[in-house]
Each structure stands twice: as C-alpha cells, then as structure tokens.
Amino acid sequence: MSTVTQKKINTAQAINLALHDAMAFDSSVVVLGEDIADAQGGGVFKCTAGLSEKFGTGRVKSTPISEQAIAGAAVGGALAGLRPVAEIMLMNFMTVAMDQIVNHAAKLRFMTGGQTHVPLVIRTTTGAGFGTGGQHADYLEAWFAHTAGIKVVAPSTPADAYGLLLSCIFDDDPCIFIENLPLYFVPGEAPEPGVRVPIGKAKVVQEGSDITLVSYSRTLHDVIAVAKKLAKEGVSAEVIDLRTIAPLDMETVTASARKTGRVVVAHEAQVDFGVGAEIAARLHKELFGTLKAPVARVGAARSPVPFSKPLETEFVPTQSRILAAIRETLN
Amino acid sequence: MSTVTQKKINTAQAINLALHDAMAFDSSVVVLGEDIADAQGGGVFKCTAGLSEKFGTGRVKSTPISEQAIAGAAVGGALAGLRPVAEIMLMNFMTVAMDQIVNHAAKLRFMTGGQTHVPLVIRTTTGAGFGTGGQHADYLEAWFAHTAGIKVVAPSTPADAYGLLLSCIFDDDPCIFIENLPLYFVPGEAPEPGVRVPIGKAKVVQEGSDITLVSYSRTLHDVIAVAKKLAKEGVSAEVIDLRTIAPLDMETVTASARKTGRVVVAHEAQVDFGVGAEIAARLHKELFGTLKAPVARVGAARSPVPFSKPLETEFVPTQSRILAAIRETLN
Amino acid sequence: MSETNNPGKQVLLEIYRIASLIKQADDRFIELIKAGQIASPYYSPRGQELIPAAISVNLRADDTVVTTYRGIHDQLAKGIPLKPFVAELLGRATGTCKGKGGPMHVTHVASGLPVTTGIVGAGLPIANGLAWAAQLEGTDQVTVVNFGDGASNIGAFHEALNLAAVWKLPVIFVCQNNGYAEHTRYDLGTGAATIADRAIGYGIPGVEVDGNDAVAMWKAANAAVARARAGEGPTLIEANTFRFRGHLLGDDSHYIPKSEMAAAVAADPLPRFRAWLIEQGFATDGQLADVEATNAAAFEEAVQFGLASPYPDISELERDVVAEGVPA
Amino acid sequence: MSETNNPGKQVLLEIYRIASLIKQADDRFIELIKAGQIASPYYSPRGQELIPAAISVNLRADDTVVTTYRGIHDQLAKGIPLKPFVAELLGRATGTCKGKGGPMHVTHVASGLPVTTGIVGAGLPIANGLAWAAQLEGTDQVTVVNFGDGASNIGAFHEALNLAAVWKLPVIFVCQNNGYAEHTRYDLGTGAATIADRAIGYGIPGVEVDGNDAVAMWKAANAAVARARAGEGPTLIEANTFRFRGHLLGDDSHYIPKSEMAAAVAADPLPRFRAWLIEQGFATDGQLADVEATNAAAFEEAVQFGLASPYPDISELERDVVAEGVPA
Ligand SMILES: Cc1ncc(C[n+]2csc(CCOP(=O)(O)OP(=O)(O)O)c2C)c(N)n1
Ligand SMILES: Cc1ncc(C[n+]2csc(CCOP(=O)(O)OP(=O)(O)O)c2C)c(N)n1
Ligand SMILES: [Mg+2]
Ligand SMILES: [Mg+2]
C-alpha cells in the first residue's frame, strides 16, 4: 500500500483513525470494551479516544470487567446486523472469552446453515517489553488460526493497522485483530484515508535473493533490522510481513522461498505448535526437494513471560537469535 | 506395555480403574467435576463411578456447572498439596476455563520462581461420531501443546488410558488428559494393575518399512485399519501412536521416518496449525533432504463439526482420506 | 411492575394449542429416535411446555428468543415452521440449518430464533447483543433468553445480567428451573434460596413464578415484556417447573426420589391446564380435542416431509464456514 | 454473626504498624519507579492500608491470602519478609520469585501468599481450592482472597462464591471497593446497590463495612474468620475505601471529580487513625513516630538489599517451567 503523504502517525493513532472513519462511514459499526468511552479516557491506550463524543455512548459503550459479556454482546449485535468492534484490553484476557469466540462467533454461520453470520472484530493487544510479567504479554494467534471460521490479523505498521482494521470491520466474518503494545508508540508512514488493506495478503517489505525472512507484528521490525545488518555483509534478504495469519498467504511466501531456497520464520509466540510450524510444514510440502536448507523457526523462549528485565529482554526472539538462525540457514 | 491377563475392559472402565487405584494409593488425590459423585451417577460417562462411595464426598466432589470454579479449585488444591483430577465433561467446555489452565496452572511454577507447582490433571473427552453437533466434539490439543508448562496426553487404548492417567496424576505439573467419547465403549487389553505408562513416550503399534503413519486418540484405530488393508497389498506400514502430544516424542517418530522415508500424520483436529504441522516442521528439519516424500497431513474437514450424519461421517479423517494421503505419499 | 393484566380466553386457548403441540412433538420425536431415525442426544422439554407457551403469546414476530439444547418447546412456541423444523432434527437438507445444526442447535432467523446454544449459559451474553441492537435502532423489540437452574451458576449468567442491568437492555432472562442440572439437585449446586434472589445482585426485578401455572406465567411474562418494551430494562424470571423425561433421552432419573417424580407426574401441568380450561368454561373437551387433532395432523405432515427429504450434499462441509468465495 | 469482639490496644497498634509500613513502602516504591529503578506498571494501594492491616491481625501464619496486581498492602500485612519482597519488585534473583514474578505477581508461600494474580477475578476460584485442601485435611486454616469492586462483575467471582457456599469452604471474600475499576465509576459498571448484596445470591453472609475504619474492619474480619474456622462457610465482605494514586502510576485520575478526590484526601484514613489512637490514649505521638522510624529503617535496609542484589541469570528462563529434569 503506497501513500503520498509524508505525515507520520503511530499505531494507536492509526487504530483510532480507522475506528473514526469506519463509524462515520457506516452507522452499523459499534464499539465496546472496558474504559473505551471518553468519560473513561477513551481506552487505556487511547485507541478509542473521541469516538463516544462523536458517535454517542449508544454506539460506543464502556463495559464492566466482563469479557464473556463483551464478546457475547458483540456476537449478538453482529447477529442482529451490527458490525461490533470489541476491545479485549490484553490478549491474555481472551482466555476468559474463548467460548463466545470459538464456539459461537466462529461457528454460527455454519451451524445455522448460513442463515446468520457474525461480522465482528475483536481487537486486542499484547507483547513483551514493558515489564508486565507472565499474564499480560502472550501471543495466542495460533489458537484462533487453528479454528475454522475465524480470520486472524496482526499488523506491524500504522498504515497496515489502519487499512487492515477497516477490512476486518467490513468483513462479514469474525476477525481477531492483534495489536502490539510497544508498537503503539512507534511512528510510521500515515495511511491513505479510506484505503483498505486486503485480509490474507502478505507484504514483501524488502526484496532479496539469498534468503526469505517471514515475520509479523513487532518481531517484523527486528527482522528488518537484522536484514539491514546482513545487507552490509552482502547478504540479500527478502523480508515478508505476513500481516494476516489466517488465512495464510502462502502464495507470496512460497514464491519467495522458491526464489531464495532458504527461509526463516520469526514470531514472538512460542515456537512449538506455533505459526512457524504451519508455514514450515507447507513449504516443506509445496517446495519439496527444492529448498537449500530446512525452514528455521525463531520464537519466544519456552517459558511464560518473565518479569525481570534481563530475562524479558532474552525471552523474545532477539535480533541475535534471529541472526543466528539466519546464519545457520545460510550455511 | 505388555500384559499377561487376557481380560478385556473398555476405556471408560480403564479410567475408572486408574482413578480408584490412584485414590487408594495416595490420599492427596482428589476428584471433582459435574455429576461425578455416585449420588449424581458417578459421572455422565461413569468414569468416576464408585469413587465417592469408596473415598467419600470430601475427596470426590460433584460441582455446580462452573468450569472456571472447577479449574480454579483444582489449581488452588494443587498449590496446597493435593493432586486434583478435574473432569471437564467435554473439551469444548474448556473454552470457559482457559484462563485458569493457561494463565495459572501452566505458569505458576515459573511465576513463583519454583516456590509452587501445580500437579493437577484435567480430564476431558471429545470426538465426533455421536451426532452431538458443532459445540461438543472439537479437538483442541494444539492450544495446550502451544502453551509452555502443560503436558498433553491423548491415549487410544484402555491400557494406555489407565497407565497414562496414573502417570499424569503423579506428575508434578499440569496435564491435560484427552479422552475420546466413542472409544469409551470399545474393549481392549486390560492394563497391568499399578503399571504407569510414561508421559512423552510414543508407541510403535506396528513395525513397518515402507511408510510411517503417526496418529493418536480415535483416529489411530482408523490408521491401523488402513495399515491392515495396505499390508494385503504388500505395503509395510509402521504405525506410531503418539499417546503424548506435549512433550512430543520426536525420537521415536524421527527414527521411524529415517527408516521409511515417508510419513503421514492423521488426527481428528483441524489440519491447519494442528499437531501435524509441528511434526512435519520438525521432521523436515531433522531429516532434511533424506525424506522420500513430503510429510502428509490428514485431519478433520475445515469446518465446525456438522450434525447431519452423512456430513459428520465425512468430517473426520476417514479411512479413505487417510488411504489417499498414503498412496500419494508412496508415489 | 404491574401484574394487573389478565390473559383472555383466546390467549389461554392459544397457550393450550402451543403447549399441546409441544407435547405431541416431543412424543413423536421420541418415537422417531427409538425407531433410529434421529441419531443424536435428545433433551425432552416434557413438563415445561406452559412456560414458553405463556411467554410467546406476549411476543411479536420480530422479538427474538434465544434458547438451548433443551429448546424445542421454546422454538415451537415462537412459531418455527414445522416442516423445516422437523427436517432439521432429522439432519436433512430441507432443515432450517440444512441439517448442519441439529437437535441441539435448531435456529430459524425468520421466526426470531437466531441462536440455540449447547454451551450452558452462553446464550445470555448473546441475548444482550441482540437487545443492544434493538435498543440502538430504537425498535421496541425485546429478547427472551431461556436457560436452566444449573446455568445460573456459570459465569456467563452473572456477566450477562449485570451488563443488561447497567445498559438497561430489553432482555427477559427466563430461568426454567426444573429442579435439576443433569443429575444434580438444585440445592446441591446452587447457593441461592431462589434464582430470583440473584436479581438483587444486579439491581433488577427478580420474579419467582409457578411455570406450570399458565396464568401466573403469562402475567409474569406480560409484565417483564412491557417493562422491556418501555425501555425500563431487564427482568429475571424464575419459572419453577419439572422435567419428566430425564436430562436426556435414556436417562432413567435414578437421582430423582420416586416420591418426587410421582408427585410431579400427578401434577402434570398440561392435563391440569386442559381440565382447568374446560372447568372454567373456556373450551369443551371436544374443542380441545379438535385443537390436538389439528396439531397432530400438521405435525405428522411435517414428519413425513422431513423423512422424505434428502440429506445435505457432502459439499455442504465447505459451505457456510465463511462468506462465499472467501478463503477459509 | 457475632460482632461483639473488640480489638485491644496491642491489636490496634499492630494495625497501625502494618498500615504505616504499607504507606512507607508505597511512597518508597514510587520514588524508585520515578528513579527508573523499577520498570513495570505499579498499582498503588495508598488509601486502602487499613483493610489488610485489620484483617491480618485476625489471621494465623498458616492461613493463606490471595491477592492481585494491587497487592503490596495485602502482602506486607501478611508478613512477607521485606528483603526478598523488595528484591522481587526490583526483579532481582534474591526476590521471593527470583524476579520472575514481579510487582503484579509477588508471592511468598512461606508467608501464606501462594498466589497473586493479574487476571481480574481469577484469584477467587483458586482461593476455594486452597480452602478445600484445608477443609479436607481438617486443619482450621482459612483463606482470605482480596479483589476489587470491578472484579465483582466477572464470571469467576460468581462461580467462586457459589461453589464456596455450596461446599461451605473456609474462605473470606474481601472486596476492596475503592469506587473505581480502572477509570469506570462503580455505578457505571455494577448493577448491584452494594457488592455485599450479592451474597444473597449465594446464601452466605454479606457484610458492608467502612474499610477506612480500623475497628469496624477488624470486627468484620474477626467475625468472618471465626465463622470460617468454625466450618460455617464463607463470608463476603465489602470494604469501602478509596485509592489516592489512580489505577496505576501515571494515571492522573481525570475521571474522578475533583470534589470527590478532595473529600477523600481530607478523610485520609491513615492520619485519621493515627490521630484517633493518640486521642484515645492508645499511644503518644512519639510512640507512633518510633513505630514509623523503625518501619522506615527496616524498609530502607530492604531497599538497599534489593538494589545491591544481582539480576537472575538468563538460564532462569529454562528453569521452573516444569519440574527439574523433565522435558518441557
Ligand atoms: C459450559 C458447559 N458445561 C457443561 C455442559 C454440559 N451440560 C449440558 S446440559 C447441563 C445441565 C444444565 O442444567 P440446567 O441449566 O438446569 O438446564 P436443564 O438441562 O435442566 O434444562 C450440563 C452440565 C455444557 N453443555 N456447557
Ligand atoms: C480478565 C481481566 N480483564 C481486564 C483486566 C485489566 N484490568 C486490570 S485491573 C482492572 C480494574 C480492576 O478494578 P477493581 O476490580 O475495582 O480493582 P482495583 O484495581 O480498583 O483494585 C482491569 C480492568 C484484567 N487484568 N483481567
Ligand atoms: Mg435444570
Ligand atoms: Mg476498584
């Protein structure tokens, strides 16, 4: 998605902009979540600031601390023709709302034989780095990607956050929209107003010929940094930002892997049974016998998220671990 | 696990036997769940029959319909030195208890720096075949396997159910014990009293040289049936019952794959982001360049579980789909 | 809460028509299951017929009803068309859900039955969302959500009632208290003296009513529906009743004392209501027999339609997972 | 519920010692955070000190207390040793959790602090399990679980109180009602007139008390603990209080009316209690100043210990995930 303007905004602002534009564009778009209305500060991360003042507290509702009720109200509202955007403050809190998301939102279209559908978005954020410890920073995208009927999106830039959120809001099926806490505050290229980024399309962030680096969300930025280092050594890396986890854009990933013959997948979620496993399994099959090295996977340490700073710093897929995996894959 | 006796029992009986033996052996073993006490019938599937009569309603407690309270009581009991075995009637109902399992049971050992540990077992059952429709038959093992700190077990025979349940009960960390509803009623070789089956050890059910078939839970039986058909055609299949999903016994799987060069993984869970992906990703790496064909994955249809019989029958990984995947892998 | 209204003769006869249709449907389904023509667990509502019958006559076609696996009484009361209804229980392509939902999940959007869940308590938060949409759009539609006594102990119940109270949603929470949650007697699983008491914890009206008394049930529903339509917010109704046929078909109710069962059977609300209607001169035995005969004929026609209908094509596994033409 | 007991002088002074220690700790932590020596969100308990102080003097060392991210007051009151406590907030290897837990998750099993959760409401079901173990083993230990007003709206609260009631567990559910859940005022998120009212829905005692009144708080806790020890079951205590320093450090409390904040500050329970102790002749200003000085010295020693302690080795990432020597 190219853009003309040079203005920079951060992801929190981009999300806010997308919500404003979507609500102005379509009166069926409604927003709910804890502390999201302006009287409560417009969201703890300010992503929903100004919405209730502009669109009223009927369409923009702060809720009690009741994630099952939040998700359920979103499901019911969607069944009744609304396009609810529910904020589940942090991804770990989705663990109390899994029933509504997995047993209901994901399935009702099918279980009703197509009589109904559930066009809702659940926005949530996560990610290590701010010392929030073991219960506030998990990446659980693989759970939802494993569930038929749900789309999973995880942008890494403000512009993609804007364009993908619009696409999710106007998609006719449930979407899990995964934001990253540290990225909220990182400025980037501003989006083009109203321009939607398609769900299910990865983005080649940087073209290259020696190796393919696949990532998404915050980790993508570390991958880009590592790619820059490699460039200085004369290694040409192609960097792909998945942007959508489900459905996976294997066309883009496979095309790149076919070209480079070497692939490293990096994400902040656990490696085992994670998104990297699905990508590796598919590349192994689709490019059988043609890859020059096995697909490498880099992820978080095999532990809960630790509090202590030095541990938290090493917990995530660090640039040095990403680099090590690349070097191993190159040899 | 070999056994001398010729007596046959089914998996429901094996589970019941393991619970009786564990409770008799160690007074810290306690059991809780909906309708599990004898006054309520000893469990809807009778797996807990006779326990409350023998060990009292203090150690064997029926609960309200409150899965969060059930899982939480198990976590707290475990922290206090008990070895709770909680029954979550069906796996889909674990969606309302995910917080206690994933944010607490799995993490407290780490988050307390080893001051505490959580030796609980959550028994649950699932599986299509009985016309229970979209919200009563999902396989969600990949979610738990993706979570650090939890073990995931899914036996396919009465003897393994008995021996693995004992191991899980006496393991010092949380275990998710996945039973299969249709298998409850299938008789098999009786276990040797008191003999535990180790967690994390797959079982070579049948040795073979042409192809490796990896499965677990109910699907394993279809795989065995297909292997028998293949034998008649002179195809020698090695059949592996994983028995434990996390930690995966890749040693056994890899050794077999190294020998046969061809692997098919079959399970009733969704293929995408499922257990088969992790196995394929690891084999691809560990045996890079030596496999004769890509690892094939067979799973449920990419949909919720349908009610209508003909659809339900085709939803699961049928023998014909397993066979087709094998043939493709053999050529 | 005004309970001054009274149901008239026509309303009472309509309640009887619906309740007797439910009983006939239940009897017939059990025959079909025993004949192996429905392969699924089946949760009989026998004994609870008067509750939805007395509620539904207070509802409009555009009001919505959310129910559970034990829901054929609620669905029939809301007016689901019989042919696609029966076909759904039979898993046929002509069913309301093309056979994909089945007995535990019968829905029919056109009849105001958008969600039937098999997860205890899950319908309550969803009902709030339906009511929120009506509130936003300024229609005066109401949503009735049915659940059991056992469901009142799950977290979703609590979160949903509290949210509905705080948002003043037009929802009627109907707890059909049949005294048992599966095999667990009310008091063994529930700390509250009455489910209605729990309304205090949400600052909303909590009404305990004899769900086996058509007039009392009608009055409670009438008042709650009026309150919801007027924008005054939700009501929790506890309708006391009993289930005669166990938790699911095959359950021998061993956990129910023989005396309790005997007393309940002796007080079967349906024949009692029938006798009362005659005794009060609202109808003659013959007139009610005609109603039953008409029901029976219509229902049997639906059964034959269902049995003659094809099963869905295997390709239906790929359909309705996500919107047409979009990769799943 | 007998509230006849009264705290004696020694008890009142101990309550003050604890409460003032909590305030001193809070002040010091905020200094450390502003100095960049703790890198984590911090949830100040300032204003709520008297609640755990008055509860803890009713507890035994072997009783357990479950708390939340806003928990340093509960932890200090239960008697957590200061050095490993401070070290944990600083993320050091000498911390109670080797620095792996951090400010939101400080636990110390030896002090009866086995669980501190960051998930709203999650501590309540876990408290039931701790109490169940005590009930089974026939010890008369009790478990106190602390949570906020907002937490009373989440499903886990409901399920936990109901289970505790039905199982007659020795649990004291303490809702520290500070009037706000993050930025949401009590009445905007909670349908109940009082949280204590919700006890009716579980058939257990619900006690509303001024949590800023040490004597009233002590009496409520004393009665609830006695009831639990006697095997008579759980109690829900709603302790009304106020938080002075926002939801978490950095929160400017913009959502709290200036007048409300001013009134609260004017009624700060800690100086009020201090003045009352002197006025009642329980202590002189000098004696209380000594208590504060002793606290301060001990706490500063702990801070220096923490600051001088090493961070955990990176290998700690692999440790404590599962039992030693077992593959994760
Ligand atoms: C979350 C969840 N837990 C458990 C079950 C299994 N289950 C199905 S019905 C039922 C009993 C419900 O009792 P009640 O709410 O009284 O309704 P009734 O069946 O009596 O109409 C249970 C435990 C479920 N479906 N969902
Ligand atoms: C399940 C869950 N939802 C949301 C949050 C985010 N959160 C943390 S504290 C808090 C407010 C809690 O308010 P209250 O219960 O009144 O306790 P207080 O902070 O006032 O002590 C919220 C919403 C969480 N931690 N867990
Ligand atoms: Mg019931
Ligand atoms: Mg509060």
Side-chain angles (χ1 to χ4, degrees), chain A residues 107 134 138 146 272-273 278, chain B residues 107 134 138 146 272-273 278:
Chain A
K107 294 177 174 181
D138 287 340
H146 187 47
D272 292 3
F273 302 87
E278 181 66 26
Chain B
K107 294 177 173 182
D138 287 339
H146 187 46
D272 293 3
F273 302 87
E278 182 64 27

Side-chain angles (χ1 to χ4, degrees), chain A residues 16-331:
Chain A
N16 185 254
L17 207 58
L19 291 170
H20 273 277
D21 291 355
M23 293 194 77
F25 178 80
D26 183 340
S27 63
S28 69
V29 177
V30 295
V31 178
L32 71 163
E34 292 156 16
D35 294 324
I36 65 148
D38 293 305
Q40 287 75 47
V44 289
F45 305 118
K46 297 270 176 288
C47 293
T48 54
L51 294 174
S52 67
E53 272 159 19
K54 191 178 303 154
F55 303 103
T57 52
R59 285 176 66 192
V60 182
K61 298 188 87 69
S62 283
T63 68
I65 307 172
S66 308
E67 281 77 8
Q68 292 188 73
I70 293 167
V75 170
L79 290 173
L82 300 177
R83 293 187 173 279
V85 182
E87 176 174 301
I88 300 289
M89 197 177 293
L90 289 171
M91 193 157 207
N92 283 78
F93 312 154
M94 293 181 85
T95 55
V96 294
M98 293 302 288
D99 165 55
Q100 286 294 338
I101 299 168
V102 168
N103 289 332
H104 295 88
K107 294 177 174 181
L108 291 180
R109 179 191 283 270
F110 184 86
M111 289 173 63
T112 62
Q115 289 177 90
T116 63
H117 61 285
V118 188
L120 64 79
V121 178
I122 295 187
R123 288 182 44 243
T124 192
T125 188
T126 193
F130 285 1
T132 53
Q135 297 176 329
H136 286 67
D138 287 340
Y139 268 89
L140 306 174
E141 63 275 17
W143 291 4
F144 301 98
H146 187 47
T147 307
I150 305 185
K151 299 188 173 79
V152 184
V153 166
S156 68
T157 67
D160 281 347
Y162 174 88
L164 278 165
L165 183 51
L166 285 182
S167 293
C168 287
I169 291 170
F170 295 107
D171 189 89
D172 282 338
D173 289 296
C175 299
I176 306 298
F177 191 89
I178 304 169
E179 302 161 21
N180 173 273
L181 188 45
L183 283 185
Y184 275 151
F185 313 102
V186 179
E189 193 178 67
E192 273 186 87
V195 175
R196 301 180 191 177
V197 174
I199 297 168
K201 292 264 162 288
K203 178 182 180 183
V204 177
V205 176
Q206 165 185 316
E207 298 208 343
S209 53
D210 298 333
I211 188 164
T212 300
L213 309 180
V214 180
S215 189
Y216 54 92
S217 195
R218 197 194 56 74
T219 308
L220 188 269
H221 297 275
D222 287 318
V223 166
I224 290 171
V226 171
K228 289 212 170 65
K229 286 198 199 115
L230 288 167
K232 296 207 189 69
E233 303 174 12
V235 176
S236 160
E238 182 144 299
V239 178
I240 295 177
D241 183 353
L242 277 182
R243 304 195 294 189
T244 297
I245 311 303
L248 269 177
D249 179 6
M250 283 309 293
E251 206 178 296
T252 300
V253 175
T254 307
S256 176
R258 184 175 288 113
K259 180 174 67 177
T260 64
R262 305 177 193 274
V263 180
V264 174
V265 185
H267 53 57
E268 195 172 315
Q270 292 286 307
V271 171
D272 292 3
F273 302 87
V275 170
E278 181 66 26
I279 293 172
R282 294 207 204 173
L283 288 173
H284 157 66
K285 177 155 192 147
E286 291 174 31
L287 300 178
F288 187 69
T290 70
L291 289 171
K292 303 188 188 111
V295 176
R297 297 183 281 160
V298 188
R302 186 69 177 165
S303 78
V305 183
F307 165 69
S308 187
K309 197 69 202 166
L311 298 186
E312 188 189 30
T313 305
E314 283 304 310
F315 170 82
V316 299
T318 56
Q319 292 188 19
S320 63
R321 286 204 284 124
I322 294 167
L323 189 59
I326 292 171
R327 295 207 190 287
E328 196 195 332
T329 306
L330 285 169
N331 305 332

Side-chain angles (χ1 to χ4, degrees), chain C residues 279-303:
Chain C
E279 171 194 309
Q280 298 289 315
F282 289 120
T284 65
D285 175 77
Q287 290 167 321
L288 297 182
D290 290 346
V291 169
E292 292 148 12
T294 314
N295 281 345
F299 196 77
E300 195 50 37
E301 200 184 321
V303 169

Side-chain angles (χ1 to χ4, degrees), chain C residues 190-275:
Chain C
T190 313
T194 73
I195 305 280
D197 277 351
R198 291 185 161 168
I200 297 164
Y202 313 107
I204 63 172
V207 183
E208 186 181 7
V209 59
D210 180 355
N212 295 344
D213 175 336
V215 174
M217 189 65 226
W218 182 90
K219 287 182 177 180
N222 183 263
V225 169
R227 179 179 145 82
R229 280 209 207 290
E232 292 160 19
T235 301
L236 171 60
I237 296 176
E238 174 180 16
N240 292 310
T241 183
F242 191 81
R243 56 165 161 78
F244 290 86
R245 291 173 170 171
H247 175 58
L248 80 174
L249 202 69
D251 167 5
D252 64 3
S253 300
H254 58 81
Y255 48 89
I256 301 180
K258 300 262 161 301
S259 56
E260 182 182 1
M261 179 59 89
V265 171
D268 189 333
L270 203 53
R272 235 167 70 217
F273 182 49
R274 190 183 196 281

Side-chain angles (χ1 to χ4, degrees), chain C residues 169-180:
Chain C
L169 294 174
V171 183
I172 298 100
F173 295 96
V174 178
C175 179
Q176 299 187 20
N177 184 350
N178 56 21
Y180 290 85

Side-chain angles (χ1 to χ4, degrees), chain B residues 266-279:
Chain B
H267 52 58
E268 194 172 315
Q270 293 285 307
V271 171
D272 293 3
F273 302 87
V275 170
E278 182 64 27
I279 293 172

Side-chain angles (χ1 to χ4, degrees), chain B residues 34 65 67 89 93 96 136, chain C residues 69-70 118-120 148-151 154 178 180-182 243 247:
Chain B
E34 291 156 17
I65 308 171
E67 281 77 8
M89 197 179 293
F93 312 154
V96 294
H136 286 67
Chain C
Y69 53 88
R70 191 184 313 282
I119 306 296
V120 164
D149 45 295
I154 201 159
N178 56 21
Y180 290 85
E182 283 192 350
R243 56 165 161 78
H247 175 58

